Amino acid sequence: MTGTLPRRATAPPAPAPWSEERTAMLAEEAARRTPAVTDPVATARVDGAAVRVDLDLVVDHGAPLTAVAEAVRRRVAARIEAHTGLTVESVTVTVVDLRLPGAAPTGPEDTGGHPAAAPSADEREAT
């Protein structure tokens, strides 16, 4: 008797592992999208299917720090889990500085990716 055996189901290919650097960059991008946050610097530690993220942020003066930190935690965890499939064990947020109103932008994200404009004559005289 001859016949054909059914094909064995193959497991789907394993997703490409996310490096700690790529995961940190994803966390920084997510934090940058949170209002009142600038200059995020992230460190990620990937251990198997879990990740821990440490974030240092600069926050606008007058912003409610606990609310901003919680918004960053939620946004970063959701973004990482959605894009990587990793389980976020923790997101530690540290506010390292406050940006005062009228302070010069500190990075390209503050100027929309364009170099900061030169101060006007009135601004130069005021200093």
Side-chain angles (χ1 to χ4, degrees):
M1 199 162 162
T2 61
T4 306
L5 293 174
R7 291 186 116 190
R8 290 186 183 196
T10 58
W18 277 74
S19 69
E20 291 179 345
E21 293 82 18
R22 284 180 64 198
T23 306
M25 286 176 31
L26 189 61
E28 288 172 359
E29 183 211 335
R32 197 173 290 116
R33 293 175 181 259
T34 306
V37 172
T38 57
D39 300 333
V41 177
T43 304
R45 290 181 307 276
V46 178
D47 183 21
V51 63
R52 291 183 192 144
V53 178
D54 292 324
L55 270 165
D56 291 342
L57 309 173
V58 176
V59 177
D60 291 343
H61 181 269
L65 297 180
T66 55
V68 170
E70 187 57 33
V72 168
R73 279 187 200 98
R74 284 192 197 127
R75 187 178 298 248
V76 167
R79 184 84 175 211
I80 289 173
E81 288 179 350
H83 282 79
T84 68
L86 297 171
T87 301
V88 177
E89 286 185 349
S90 67
V91 177
T92 303
V93 175
T94 304
V95 176
V96 295
D97 202 359
L98 296 176
R99 188 172 68 163
L100 298 175
T106 57
E109 64 276 353
D110 292 338
T111 60
H114 303 291
S120 68
D122 293 335
E123 291 172 327
R124 284 192 300 265
E125 287 179 7
T127 57

